[in-house]
mmCIF file with all atom_site columns, all heavy atoms in Angstrom:
data_model
loop_
_atom_site.group_PDB
_atom_site.id
_atom_site.type_symbol
_atom_site.label_atom_id
_atom_site.label_alt_id
_atom_site.label_comp_id
_atom_site.label_asym_id
_atom_site.label_entity_id
_atom_site.label_seq_id
_atom_site.pdbx_PDB_ins_code
_atom_site.Cartn_x
_atom_site.Cartn_y
_atom_site.Cartn_z
_atom_site.occupancy
_atom_site.B_iso_or_equiv
_atom_site.pdbx_formal_charge
_atom_site.auth_seq_id
_atom_site.auth_comp_id
_atom_site.auth_asym_id
_atom_site.auth_atom_id
_atom_site.pdbx_PDB_model_num
ATOM 1   N N   . ASP A 1 120 ? -2.994 10.215 0.620  1.00 0.00 ? 800 ASP A N   1
ATOM 2   C CA  . ASP A 1 120 ? -1.555 9.915  0.516  1.00 0.00 ? 800 ASP A CA  1
ATOM 3   C C   . ASP A 1 120 ? -1.336 8.554  -0.137 1.00 0.00 ? 800 ASP A C   1
ATOM 4   O O   . ASP A 1 120 ? -2.144 7.652  0.062  1.00 0.00 ? 800 ASP A O   1
ATOM 5   C CB  . ASP A 1 120 ? -0.876 9.936  1.879  1.00 0.00 ? 800 ASP A CB  1
ATOM 6   C CG  . ASP A 1 120 ? -0.743 11.320 2.468  1.00 0.00 ? 800 ASP A CG  1
ATOM 7   O OD1 . ASP A 1 120 ? -0.936 12.320 1.742  1.00 0.00 ? 800 ASP A OD1 1
ATOM 8   O OD2 . ASP A 1 120 ? -0.436 11.414 3.684  1.00 0.00 ? 800 ASP A OD2 1
ATOM 9   N N   . GLN A 1 121 ? -0.271 8.447  -0.905 1.00 0.00 ? 801 GLN A N   1
ATOM 10  C CA  . GLN A 1 121 ? 0.064  7.199  -1.587 1.00 0.00 ? 801 GLN A CA  1
ATOM 11  C C   . GLN A 1 121 ? 1.498  6.816  -1.274 1.00 0.00 ? 801 GLN A C   1
ATOM 12  O O   . GLN A 1 121 ? 2.350  7.669  -1.117 1.00 0.00 ? 801 GLN A O   1
ATOM 13  C CB  . GLN A 1 121 ? -0.102 7.314  -3.101 1.00 0.00 ? 801 GLN A CB  1
ATOM 14  C CG  . GLN A 1 121 ? -1.524 7.427  -3.564 1.00 0.00 ? 801 GLN A CG  1
ATOM 15  C CD  . GLN A 1 121 ? -1.622 7.348  -5.077 1.00 0.00 ? 801 GLN A CD  1
ATOM 16  O OE1 . GLN A 1 121 ? -1.021 8.119  -5.786 1.00 0.00 ? 801 GLN A OE1 1
ATOM 17  N NE2 . GLN A 1 121 ? -2.446 6.418  -5.545 1.00 0.00 ? 801 GLN A NE2 1
ATOM 18  N N   . ARG A 1 122 ? 1.758  5.525  -1.233 1.00 0.00 ? 802 ARG A N   1
ATOM 19  C CA  . ARG A 1 122 ? 3.110  4.954  -1.167 1.00 0.00 ? 802 ARG A CA  1
ATOM 20  C C   . ARG A 1 122 ? 3.209  3.929  -2.281 1.00 0.00 ? 802 ARG A C   1
ATOM 21  O O   . ARG A 1 122 ? 2.307  3.127  -2.487 1.00 0.00 ? 802 ARG A O   1
ATOM 22  C CB  . ARG A 1 122 ? 3.337  4.256  0.182  1.00 0.00 ? 802 ARG A CB  1
ATOM 23  C CG  . ARG A 1 122 ? 3.307  5.186  1.369  1.00 0.00 ? 802 ARG A CG  1
ATOM 24  C CD  . ARG A 1 122 ? 4.505  6.102  1.465  1.00 0.00 ? 802 ARG A CD  1
ATOM 25  N NE  . ARG A 1 122 ? 5.692  5.303  1.695  1.00 0.00 ? 802 ARG A NE  1
ATOM 26  C CZ  . ARG A 1 122 ? 6.898  5.570  1.173  1.00 0.00 ? 802 ARG A CZ  1
ATOM 27  N NH1 . ARG A 1 122 ? 7.041  6.624  0.396  1.00 0.00 ? 802 ARG A NH1 1
ATOM 28  N NH2 . ARG A 1 122 ? 7.915  4.810  1.410  1.00 0.00 ? 802 ARG A NH2 1
ATOM 29  N N   . VAL A 1 123 ? 4.311  3.975  -2.991 1.00 0.00 ? 803 VAL A N   1
ATOM 30  C CA  . VAL A 1 123 ? 4.581  3.044  -4.080 1.00 0.00 ? 803 VAL A CA  1
ATOM 31  C C   . VAL A 1 123 ? 5.788  2.226  -3.645 1.00 0.00 ? 803 VAL A C   1
ATOM 32  O O   . VAL A 1 123 ? 6.750  2.761  -3.095 1.00 0.00 ? 803 VAL A O   1
ATOM 33  C CB  . VAL A 1 123 ? 4.889  3.809  -5.389 1.00 0.00 ? 803 VAL A CB  1
ATOM 34  C CG1 . VAL A 1 123 ? 5.295  2.854  -6.499 1.00 0.00 ? 803 VAL A CG1 1
ATOM 35  C CG2 . VAL A 1 123 ? 3.688  4.639  -5.808 1.00 0.00 ? 803 VAL A CG2 1
ATOM 36  N N   . PHE A 1 124 ? 5.720  0.898  -3.884 1.00 0.00 ? 804 PHE A N   1
ATOM 37  C CA  . PHE A 1 124 ? 6.850  0.080  -3.454 1.00 0.00 ? 804 PHE A CA  1
ATOM 38  C C   . PHE A 1 124 ? 7.140  -1.004 -4.494 1.00 0.00 ? 804 PHE A C   1
ATOM 39  O O   . PHE A 1 124 ? 6.269  -1.416 -5.243 1.00 0.00 ? 804 PHE A O   1
ATOM 40  C CB  . PHE A 1 124 ? 6.587  -0.535 -2.058 1.00 0.00 ? 804 PHE A CB  1
ATOM 41  C CG  . PHE A 1 124 ? 5.284  -1.211 -1.927 1.00 0.00 ? 804 PHE A CG  1
ATOM 42  C CD1 . PHE A 1 124 ? 5.131  -2.545 -2.253 1.00 0.00 ? 804 PHE A CD1 1
ATOM 43  C CD2 . PHE A 1 124 ? 4.182  -0.541 -1.444 1.00 0.00 ? 804 PHE A CD2 1
ATOM 44  C CE1 . PHE A 1 124 ? 3.917  -3.188 -2.113 1.00 0.00 ? 804 PHE A CE1 1
ATOM 45  C CE2 . PHE A 1 124 ? 2.948  -1.155 -1.272 1.00 0.00 ? 804 PHE A CE2 1
ATOM 46  C CZ  . PHE A 1 124 ? 2.805  -2.492 -1.613 1.00 0.00 ? 804 PHE A CZ  1
ATOM 47  N N   . ALA A 1 125 ? 8.397  -1.439 -4.468 1.00 0.00 ? 805 ALA A N   1
ATOM 48  C CA  . ALA A 1 125 ? 8.925  -2.463 -5.389 1.00 0.00 ? 805 ALA A CA  1
ATOM 49  C C   . ALA A 1 125 ? 8.908  -3.829 -4.711 1.00 0.00 ? 805 ALA A C   1
ATOM 50  O O   . ALA A 1 125 ? 8.740  -3.926 -3.476 1.00 0.00 ? 805 ALA A O   1
ATOM 51  C CB  . ALA A 1 125 ? 10.335 -2.090 -5.801 1.00 0.00 ? 805 ALA A CB  1
ATOM 52  N N   . PRO A 1 126 ? 9.102  -4.894 -5.463 1.00 0.00 ? 806 PRO A N   1
ATOM 53  C CA  . PRO A 1 126 ? 9.180  -6.222 -4.865 1.00 0.00 ? 806 PRO A CA  1
ATOM 54  C C   . PRO A 1 126 ? 10.244 -6.255 -3.760 1.00 0.00 ? 806 PRO A C   1
ATOM 55  O O   . PRO A 1 126 ? 11.305 -5.640 -3.883 1.00 0.00 ? 806 PRO A O   1
ATOM 56  C CB  . PRO A 1 126 ? 9.592  -7.117 -6.024 1.00 0.00 ? 806 PRO A CB  1
ATOM 57  C CG  . PRO A 1 126 ? 9.079  -6.413 -7.232 1.00 0.00 ? 806 PRO A CG  1
ATOM 58  C CD  . PRO A 1 126 ? 9.238  -4.936 -6.927 1.00 0.00 ? 806 PRO A CD  1
ATOM 59  N N   . GLY A 1 127 ? 9.939  -6.937 -2.689 1.00 0.00 ? 807 GLY A N   1
ATOM 60  C CA  . GLY A 1 127 ? 10.879 -7.085 -1.587 1.00 0.00 ? 807 GLY A CA  1
ATOM 61  C C   . GLY A 1 127 ? 10.897 -5.937 -0.584 1.00 0.00 ? 807 GLY A C   1
ATOM 62  O O   . GLY A 1 127 ? 11.559 -6.048 0.443  1.00 0.00 ? 807 GLY A O   1
ATOM 63  N N   . TYR A 1 128 ? 10.163 -4.869 -0.845 1.00 0.00 ? 808 TYR A N   1
ATOM 64  C CA  . TYR A 1 128 ? 10.115 -3.715 0.070  1.00 0.00 ? 808 TYR A CA  1
ATOM 65  C C   . TYR A 1 128 ? 9.403  -4.171 1.340  1.00 0.00 ? 808 TYR A C   1
ATOM 66  O O   . TYR A 1 128 ? 8.264  -4.617 1.322  1.00 0.00 ? 808 TYR A O   1
ATOM 67  C CB  . TYR A 1 128 ? 9.370  -2.571 -0.598 1.00 0.00 ? 808 TYR A CB  1
ATOM 68  C CG  . TYR A 1 128 ? 9.161  -1.365 0.268  1.00 0.00 ? 808 TYR A CG  1
ATOM 69  C CD1 . TYR A 1 128 ? 10.200 -0.462 0.504  1.00 0.00 ? 808 TYR A CD1 1
ATOM 70  C CD2 . TYR A 1 128 ? 7.909  -1.092 0.833  1.00 0.00 ? 808 TYR A CD2 1
ATOM 71  C CE1 . TYR A 1 128 ? 9.982  0.667  1.286  1.00 0.00 ? 808 TYR A CE1 1
ATOM 72  C CE2 . TYR A 1 128 ? 7.684  0.037  1.594  1.00 0.00 ? 808 TYR A CE2 1
ATOM 73  C CZ  . TYR A 1 128 ? 8.742  0.913  1.830  1.00 0.00 ? 808 TYR A CZ  1
ATOM 74  O OH  . TYR A 1 128 ? 8.534  2.038  2.594  1.00 0.00 ? 808 TYR A OH  1
ATOM 75  N N   . ALA A 1 129 ? 10.088 -4.048 2.492  1.00 0.00 ? 809 ALA A N   1
ATOM 76  C CA  . ALA A 1 129 ? 9.520  -4.486 3.761  1.00 0.00 ? 809 ALA A CA  1
ATOM 77  C C   . ALA A 1 129 ? 8.999  -3.277 4.541  1.00 0.00 ? 809 ALA A C   1
ATOM 78  O O   . ALA A 1 129 ? 9.701  -2.242 4.618  1.00 0.00 ? 809 ALA A O   1
ATOM 79  C CB  . ALA A 1 129 ? 10.546 -5.235 4.584  1.00 0.00 ? 809 ALA A CB  1
ATOM 80  N N   . HIS A 1 130 ? 7.817  -3.405 5.091  1.00 0.00 ? 810 HIS A N   1
ATOM 81  C CA  . HIS A 1 130 ? 7.233  -2.353 5.915  1.00 0.00 ? 810 HIS A CA  1
ATOM 82  C C   . HIS A 1 130 ? 6.193  -2.928 6.834  1.00 0.00 ? 810 HIS A C   1
ATOM 83  O O   . HIS A 1 130 ? 5.805  -4.087 6.711  1.00 0.00 ? 810 HIS A O   1
ATOM 84  C CB  . HIS A 1 130 ? 6.643  -1.241 5.047  1.00 0.00 ? 810 HIS A CB  1
ATOM 85  C CG  . HIS A 1 130 ? 5.435  -1.641 4.249  1.00 0.00 ? 810 HIS A CG  1
ATOM 86  N ND1 . HIS A 1 130 ? 4.574  -0.745 3.688  1.00 0.00 ? 810 HIS A ND1 1
ATOM 87  C CD2 . HIS A 1 130 ? 4.945  -2.844 3.898  1.00 0.00 ? 810 HIS A CD2 1
ATOM 88  C CE1 . HIS A 1 130 ? 3.608  -1.354 3.049  1.00 0.00 ? 810 HIS A CE1 1
ATOM 89  N NE2 . HIS A 1 130 ? 3.805  -2.639 3.149  1.00 0.00 ? 810 HIS A NE2 1
ATOM 90  N N   . GLU A 1 131 ? 5.746  -2.097 7.761  1.00 0.00 ? 811 GLU A N   1
ATOM 91  C CA  . GLU A 1 131 ? 4.627  -2.438 8.628  1.00 0.00 ? 811 GLU A CA  1
ATOM 92  C C   . GLU A 1 131 ? 3.666  -1.270 8.553  1.00 0.00 ? 811 GLU A C   1
ATOM 93  O O   . GLU A 1 131 ? 4.095  -0.107 8.535  1.00 0.00 ? 811 GLU A O   1
ATOM 94  C CB  . GLU A 1 131 ? 5.105  -2.629 10.077 1.00 0.00 ? 811 GLU A CB  1
ATOM 95  C CG  . GLU A 1 131 ? 3.992  -2.975 11.031 1.00 0.00 ? 811 GLU A CG  1
ATOM 96  C CD  . GLU A 1 131 ? 4.484  -3.281 12.436 1.00 0.00 ? 811 GLU A CD  1
ATOM 97  O OE1 . GLU A 1 131 ? 5.718  -3.190 12.689 1.00 0.00 ? 811 GLU A OE1 1
ATOM 98  O OE2 . GLU A 1 131 ? 3.655  -3.627 13.268 1.00 0.00 ? 811 GLU A OE2 1
ATOM 99  N N   . VAL A 1 132 ? 2.402  -1.548 8.476  1.00 0.00 ? 812 VAL A N   1
ATOM 100 C CA  . VAL A 1 132 ? 1.380  -0.514 8.446  1.00 0.00 ? 812 VAL A CA  1
ATOM 101 C C   . VAL A 1 132 ? 0.509  -0.672 9.687  1.00 0.00 ? 812 VAL A C   1
ATOM 102 O O   . VAL A 1 132 ? 0.071  -1.789 9.989  1.00 0.00 ? 812 VAL A O   1
ATOM 103 C CB  . VAL A 1 132 ? 0.518  -0.600 7.148  1.00 0.00 ? 812 VAL A CB  1
ATOM 104 C CG1 . VAL A 1 132 ? -0.550 0.483  7.134  1.00 0.00 ? 812 VAL A CG1 1
ATOM 105 C CG2 . VAL A 1 132 ? 1.408  -0.489 5.917  1.00 0.00 ? 812 VAL A CG2 1
ATOM 106 N N   . VAL A 1 133 ? 0.294  0.417  10.406 1.00 0.00 ? 813 VAL A N   1
ATOM 107 C CA  . VAL A 1 133 ? -0.491 0.367  11.648 1.00 0.00 ? 813 VAL A CA  1
ATOM 108 C C   . VAL A 1 133 ? -1.456 1.534  11.690 1.00 0.00 ? 813 VAL A C   1
ATOM 109 O O   . VAL A 1 133 ? -1.184 2.606  11.128 1.00 0.00 ? 813 VAL A O   1
ATOM 110 C CB  . VAL A 1 133 ? 0.399  0.350  12.923 1.00 0.00 ? 813 VAL A CB  1
ATOM 111 C CG1 . VAL A 1 133 ? 1.274  -0.854 12.965 1.00 0.00 ? 813 VAL A CG1 1
ATOM 112 C CG2 . VAL A 1 133 ? 1.222  1.612  12.990 1.00 0.00 ? 813 VAL A CG2 1
ATOM 113 N N   . ASN A 1 134 ? -2.556 1.317  12.358 1.00 0.00 ? 814 ASN A N   1
ATOM 114 C CA  . ASN A 1 134 ? -3.472 2.409  12.685 1.00 0.00 ? 814 ASN A CA  1
ATOM 115 C C   . ASN A 1 134 ? -3.209 2.756  14.123 1.00 0.00 ? 814 ASN A C   1
ATOM 116 O O   . ASN A 1 134 ? -3.765 2.122  15.028 1.00 0.00 ? 814 ASN A O   1
ATOM 117 C CB  . ASN A 1 134 ? -4.929 2.038  12.459 1.00 0.00 ? 814 ASN A CB  1
ATOM 118 C CG  . ASN A 1 134 ? -5.871 3.179  12.774 1.00 0.00 ? 814 ASN A CG  1
ATOM 119 O OD1 . ASN A 1 134 ? -5.459 4.220  13.251 1.00 0.00 ? 814 ASN A OD1 1
ATOM 120 N ND2 . ASN A 1 134 ? -7.143 2.985  12.505 1.00 0.00 ? 814 ASN A ND2 1
#
Side-chain angles (χ1 to χ4, degrees):
D800 289 347
Q801 290 187 305
R802 296 287 295 143
V803 174
F804 51 87
Y808 176 77
H810 67 163
E811 180 175 3
V812 179
V813 297
N814 181 353

